[in-house]
């Protein structure tokens, strides 16, 4: 008989701090050959099964009904039903203020199922933080496909890194108001292993080459995470705290708490700071692009002047606040769209002001911080089309006198892509411009397509990842005269953006694992002779719930299969991927994939290919690195698109004019 509700004692914060200090003091004497400490068993803090017939502390978030149900149950005979929802954000919530300890990493798990008769949907698990009358929302488990036919497990980790006066976990839907059941909610924490102090510090190994950095949030500057950060890294990049929506959510009202905390930690601990980012087409509040009565700005001279004045005021406030504490700024982020003839992203910034927003941003940043290094930062700069468009833009603006000091390469890559040759070509392309270069947001995903989802990282993927880090860092070190720093986009696998993008699944893209222990990837940089040369076979992947089932291919001299997946959808827009498998007997070079949209959908951005769209007809051709499609091989590309009245699946998928089966 399961207990309906369980609470366990927690270590007090002071005892945790003392334990951490004691660990550091003892570990220094441990010889290098000592294996990492084994973590203790998880400690269960909360366990809600609803078997006692009560909601066990769960409540509604607004006017919906949250009540115990016996219609279905994951375990036992009871579950919790949320019904009468009128908004997607409504759902069962549980207050956690008295249960969570700041700085401790918890695993939150809940089983979810839609009520009988409800259409399939996307469900997620989130946390709401309240402080001083302001609420913030953290996603624990991203959008996950759920139906009325089976229970689906949502499980993710969460670290409270802020002082709060209200805290709750809740289940919501990405869209719609379907009735939903939850059951068997648990919250547990894993007593942490001590941070390894008997292994070389990454920053010392790379000291003769370039500084090594990590992207951080508040959770990386407390507890064991802070110990790991201080030991291995020279620089930090606040991942979100300096962006526009974080610093100036409404006009003239600035919020500095998170940025001040993170920059202050860096200053106190002798870490350099990269400022990220001043101008971006995302995470910019809507008010920036509307006039005082909410009307969208146009390219009218008065509207353009208003936008540029807001940009100047924002940069003067943000850059001016931190002065010499931040020596490098990503002034502009992701401004290139290689699918445009001129290579410029059609962001609201560009639509209203043309290139003047870039000219203004760099000019003002130089005036406010004359000694800071000013960067333009982008992703997929290893792809020739994007690389060349960025190089042309930098060359043009510098010729005008725009003070661009450096180019940032994000390097969000995976265990198979890109090649070392493509990455070297990326670095060499910018040398003639005389600019600095930095790797600004590096991680190496263990996944090679959106259809994979492993319950735990397979040993051979981790080994391949280690070799990829080894080879990329060997390349970086050969170009140490050009690279002035390398930054990883995160500290450890317990907190990575890739757990929710491009699909919800656990990734492991960094050098330290979820328990902050060094992985083979770390040794790939520090001492490649320590990498295990005999991996175990890959386990069979669990298919992502958003991927359509695959039909048996029709094989022959010429045949193909198309798998189309809508990854996420919102009012007026969606993200999708298309996987084309060459099920025929001969290889194809320089392929063309075509299809037709039935409802007027319009692609705004596509990656891993070059797109042309003529009304409903779409054609995608390869980039230089994926032009070969061998027999049995697969190519996958993704895109963002808009829709209006409906968003039905495309039809007429072809590969080089050959009709493909679908699945």
């Amino acid at each position: 008989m399961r207990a309906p509700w369980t609470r366990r004692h927690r270590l007090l914060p002071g005892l945790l701090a003392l334990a951490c200090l004691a660990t550091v003091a003892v570990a220094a004497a441990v010889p290098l050959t000592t294996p990492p400490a084994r973590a203790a068993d998880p400690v269960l803090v909360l366990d809600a099964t609803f078997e006692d017939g009560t909601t066990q502390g769960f409540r509604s978030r607004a006017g919906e009904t949250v009540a115990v149900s016996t219609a279905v149950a994951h375990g036992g005979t009871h579950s919790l039903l949320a019904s009468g929802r009128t908004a997607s954000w409504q759902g069962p919530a549980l207050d956690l203020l008295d249960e969570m300890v700041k700085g401790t990493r918890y695993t939150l798990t809940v089983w979810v199922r839609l009520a009988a008769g409800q259409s399939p949907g996307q469900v997620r698990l989130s946390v709401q933080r309240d402080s001083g009358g302001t609420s913030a929302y953290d996603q624990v488990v991203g959008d996950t496909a759920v139906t009325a036919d089976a229970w689906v497990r949502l499980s993710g980790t969460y670290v409270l890194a802020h002082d709060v006066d209200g805290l709750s976990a809740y289940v919501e839907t990405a869209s719609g108001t379907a009735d939903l059941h939850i059951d068997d909610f648990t919250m547990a924490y894993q007593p942490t292993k001590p941070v390894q102090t008997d292994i070389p510090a990454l920053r010392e190994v790379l000291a003769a080459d370039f500084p090594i950095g990590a992207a951080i949030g508040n959770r990386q500057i407390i507890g064991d995470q802070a110990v790991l950060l201080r030991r291995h890294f020279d620089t930090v990049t606040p991942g979100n705290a300096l962006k526009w929506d974080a610093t100036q959510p409404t006009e003239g009202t600035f919020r500095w708490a998170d940025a001040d905390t993170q920059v202050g930690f860096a200053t106190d601990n002798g870490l350099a700071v990269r400022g990220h980012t001043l101008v971006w087409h995302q995470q910019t509040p809507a008010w920036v692009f509307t006039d005082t009565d909410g009307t969208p700005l146009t390219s009218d001279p008065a509207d353009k002047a208003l936008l540029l004045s807001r940009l100047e005021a924002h940069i003067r406030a943000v850059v001016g606040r931190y002065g010499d504490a931040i020596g490098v700024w990503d002034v502009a982020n992701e401004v290139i769209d290689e699918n445009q003839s001129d290579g410029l992203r059609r962001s609201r910034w560009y639509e209203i002001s043309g290139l003047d927003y870039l000219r203004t941003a760099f000019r003002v940043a130089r005036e406010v911080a004359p000694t800071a290094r000013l960067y333009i930062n982008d992703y997929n700069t290893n792809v020739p089309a994007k690389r060349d468009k960025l190089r042309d833009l930098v060359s043009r603006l510098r010729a005008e006198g725009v003070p661009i000091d450096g180019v940032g390469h994000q390097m969000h890559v995976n265990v198979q892509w890109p090649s070392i040759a493509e990455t070297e070509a990326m670095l060499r392309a910018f040398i003639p411009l005389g600019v600095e270069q930095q790797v600004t947001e590096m991680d190496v995903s263990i996944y090679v397509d959106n259809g994979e989802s492993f319950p735990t990282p397979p040993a051979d993927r981790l080994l391949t990842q280690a070799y990829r880090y080894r080879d990329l860092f060997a390349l970086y070190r050969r170009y140490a005269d050009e690279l002035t720093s390398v930054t990883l986009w995160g500290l450890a696998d317990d907190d990575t953006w890739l757990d929710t993008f491009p699909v919800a699944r656990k990734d492991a893209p960094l050098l330290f694992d979820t328990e902050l222990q060094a992985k083979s990837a770390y040794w790939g940089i520090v001492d490649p002779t320590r990498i295990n040369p005999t991996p175990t076979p890959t386990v069979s992947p669990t298919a992502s719930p958003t991927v359509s089932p695959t039909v048996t291919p029709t094989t022959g001299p010429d045949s193909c299969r198309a798998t189309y997946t809508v990854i996420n959808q919102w009012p007026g827009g969606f993200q999708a991927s298309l996987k084309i498998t060459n099920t025929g007997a001969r290889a194809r070079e320089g392929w063309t994939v075509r299809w037709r949209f039935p409802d007027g959908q319009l692609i705004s951005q596509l990656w891993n290919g070059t797109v042309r769209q003529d009304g409903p007809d779409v054609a995608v051709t390869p980039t230089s690195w994926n032009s070969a499609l061998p027999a049995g091989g697969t190519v996958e590309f993704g895109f963002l698109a808009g829709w209006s009245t409906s968003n039905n699946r495309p039809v007429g998928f072809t590969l080089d004019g050959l009709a493909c089966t679908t699945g």
Side-chain angles (χ1 to χ4, degrees):
M1 181 71 179
R2 299 176 308 148
W5 183 261
T6 305
R7 296 174 185 264
R8 299 290 174 87
H9 293 296
R10 309 182 310 276
L11 290 174
L12 297 176
L15 294 178
L16 285 171
L18 289 174
C20 180
L21 291 174
T23 297
V24 172
V26 172
V30 177
L32 180 62
T33 55
T34 301
R38 178 186 177 276
D41 293 331
V43 176
L44 188 66
V45 179
L46 296 175
D47 180 16
T49 67
F50 313 112
E51 294 301 296
D52 64 353
T54 74
T55 64
Q56 297 180 346
F58 278 87
R59 56 171 175 79
S60 65
R61 300 191 74 212
E64 75 275 26
T65 299
V66 172
V68 175
S69 169
T70 57
V72 291
H74 174 256
T77 58
H78 294 69
S79 66
L80 196 67
L81 173 65
S83 60
R85 301 170 63 241
T86 60
S88 61
W89 53 267
Q90 293 177 354
L94 179 66
D95 294 327
L96 299 178
L97 184 62
D98 294 333
E99 305 301 332
M100 273 197 176
V101 174
K102 183 179 176 183
T104 298
R105 181 164 62 93
Y106 294 90
T107 298
L108 304 180
T109 300
V110 65
W111 290 84
V112 182
R113 177 175 179 163
L114 298 184
Q118 303 290 331
S119 299
Q122 301 278 327
V123 179
R124 56 193 178 218
L125 175 63
S126 303
V127 167
Q128 176 177 332
R129 293 181 282 110
D130 303 314
S131 180
T134 300
S135 296
Y137 306 92
D138 302 320
Q139 195 172 101
V140 179
V141 180
D143 293 345
T144 305
V146 177
T147 71
D149 300 321
W151 289 94
V152 174
R153 180 176 180 264
L154 306 183
S155 185
T157 60
Y158 184 75
V159 175
L160 177 62
H162 301 77
D163 293 324
V164 296
D165 47 43
L167 186 70
S168 59
Y170 61 96
V171 176
E172 61 181 336
T173 52
S175 61
T177 57
D179 295 349
L180 59 88
H181 293 270
I182 69 167
D183 201 1
D184 293 338
F185 173 88
T186 60
M187 184 174 84
Y189 69 87
Q190 181 78 50
T192 57
K193 295 178 181 178
V195 171
Q196 296 158 286
T197 56
D198 56 349
I199 61 175
L202 192 61
R203 57 184 173 80
E204 295 176 357
V205 171
L206 298 171
D209 302 301
F210 39 70
I212 183 73
I216 63 167
N218 282 5
R219 67 182 288 184
Q220 280 74 41
I221 60 175
I222 55 178
D224 286 347
Q225 299 247 354
V227 175
L228 186 70
L229 180 64
R230 285 191 297 259
R231 175 166 178 77
H232 288 285
F233 295 92
D234 301 293
T235 75
V236 297
T237 300
N240 284 293
L242 287 166
K243 291 174 181 173
W244 199 313
D245 61 348
T247 53
Q248 193 183 183
T250 58
E251 188 164 15
T253 302
F254 289 87
R255 298 190 308 200
W256 304 110
D258 286 351
D260 283 355
T261 298
Q262 293 167 33
V263 174
F265 173 89
T267 301
D268 292 344
N269 289 276
L271 302 172
V273 181
R274 295 191 81 259
H276 179 81
T277 178
L278 298 175
V279 180
W280 192 24
H281 65 281
Q282 296 188 40
Q283 290 186 245
T284 303
W287 67 262
V288 176
F289 305 114
T290 61
D291 63 20
T292 54
D293 64 3
T295 302
L297 300 181
T298 69
S299 58
D300 174 87
D303 284 356
K304 176 179 176 179
L306 175 60
L307 178 66
L308 295 181
S309 69
R310 287 172 171 171
L311 175 61
E312 178 167 353
H314 180 79
I315 293 175
R316 289 192 183 279
V318 176
V319 178
R321 183 175 184 85
Y322 296 105
D324 293 339
I326 298 181
V328 178
W329 282 97
D330 286 332
V331 175
N333 195 48
E334 300 177 3
V335 304
I336 296 297
D337 178 359
E338 66 273 31
N339 295 312
Q340 301 292 338
S341 60
D342 59 6
L344 299 172
R345 182 184 294 279
R346 290 333 192 234
S347 66
R348 293 291 288 139
W349 291 108
Y350 182 83
E351 290 172 345
I352 298 167
S353 69
L355 283 178
D356 283 346
Y357 80 96
L358 294 176
R359 298 181 179 106
T360 298
F362 279 95
R363 173 184 60 80
V364 175
R366 174 66 87 227
E367 290 176 6
V368 180
T371 62
R373 310 303 289 168
L374 307 182
Y375 271 69
I376 188 168
N377 187 51
D378 221 315
Y379 65 94
N380 283 3
T381 51
N382 49 278
V383 176
K386 190 157 197 173
R387 174 197 70 204
D388 294 345
K389 294 291 177 56
L390 177 60
R391 181 189 59 203
D392 293 347
L393 175 63
V394 172
S395 178
R396 172 183 174 180
L397 292 178
R398 281 172 58 88
E400 295 178 5
V402 177
I404 300 176
D405 298 313
V407 170
H409 307 288
Q410 292 187 10
M411 287 299 290
H412 295 296
V413 301
N414 66 45
V415 292
Q416 290 185 357
W417 174 86
S419 70
I420 300 302
E422 290 165 339
T423 308
E424 182 171 19
M426 172 191 79
L427 296 174
R428 292 182 62 85
F430 291 91
I431 293 175
L433 299 187
V435 294
E436 297 177 1
Q437 297 185 68
Q438 294 185 353
V439 172
T440 57
E441 304 182 19
M442 183 180 180
D443 42 33
V444 180
S445 173
I446 64 171
Y447 297 107
V448 298
D449 64 56
N450 291 345
E452 294 183 323
S453 181
F454 300 116
T456 57
D460 65 337
R461 288 292 175 97
L462 294 178
L463 178 59
T464 304
Q465 181 188 65
Y467 288 140
R468 178 51 58 109
Y469 269 110
R470 177 199 65 184
D471 295 344
L472 285 170
F473 268 78
L475 173 67
Y476 298 161
R477 294 169 93 166
R478 290 202 303 273
Y479 283 83
D481 289 342
E482 307 298 331
L483 283 171
T484 57
S485 81
V486 174
T487 295
L488 302 174
W489 203 244
L491 181 63
D493 289 344
D494 67 320
D495 186 15
T496 167
W497 73 299
L498 292 176
D499 284 350
T500 57
F501 182 88
V503 296
R505 60 190 174 185
K506 187 71 191 87
D507 211 326
L510 298 165
L511 305 182
F512 300 92
D513 65 18
T514 58
E515 296 181 305
L516 311 188
Q517 304 297 292
K519 296 164 52 182
S520 296
Y522 160 88
W523 291 110
I525 299 171
V526 171
D527 182 1
T529 66
R530 296 280 298 268
I531 301 175
N532 178 8
T534 55
T536 57
T538 304
V539 299
S540 299
T542 300
S544 167
T546 60
V547 176
S548 302
T550 301
V551 299
T552 302
T554 301
T555 59
D558 293 294
S559 58
C560 55
R561 183 178 67 246
T563 303
Y564 178 79
T565 304
V566 174
I567 296 169
N568 196 6
Q569 180 171 304
W570 55 93
F574 68 102
Q575 177 186 347
S577 69
L578 178 61
K579 181 189 297 184
I580 299 293
T581 302
N582 180 7
T583 55
R586 65 184 180 92
R588 294 180 176 274
E589 181 71 33
W591 46 266
T592 299
V593 172
R594 300 180 187 273
W595 70 86
R596 171 177 284 259
F597 279 124
D599 300 314
Q601 297 98 324
L602 184 63
I603 292 176
S604 59
Q605 181 181 352
L606 183 140
W607 49 95
N608 296 346
T610 300
V611 64
R612 299 188 306 277
Q613 184 168 359
D614 183 10
D617 298 315
V618 179
V620 176
T621 52
T623 65
S624 62
W625 52 266
N626 64 356
S627 61
L629 183 54
T634 296
V635 64
E636 182 175 10
F637 42 85
F639 59 86
L640 299 176
W643 62 281
S644 54
T645 57
S646 57
N647 185 26
N648 290 307
R649 292 171 59 87
V651 296
F653 294 105
T654 65
L655 172 64
D656 294 339
L658 178 70
C660 298
T661 61
T662 58

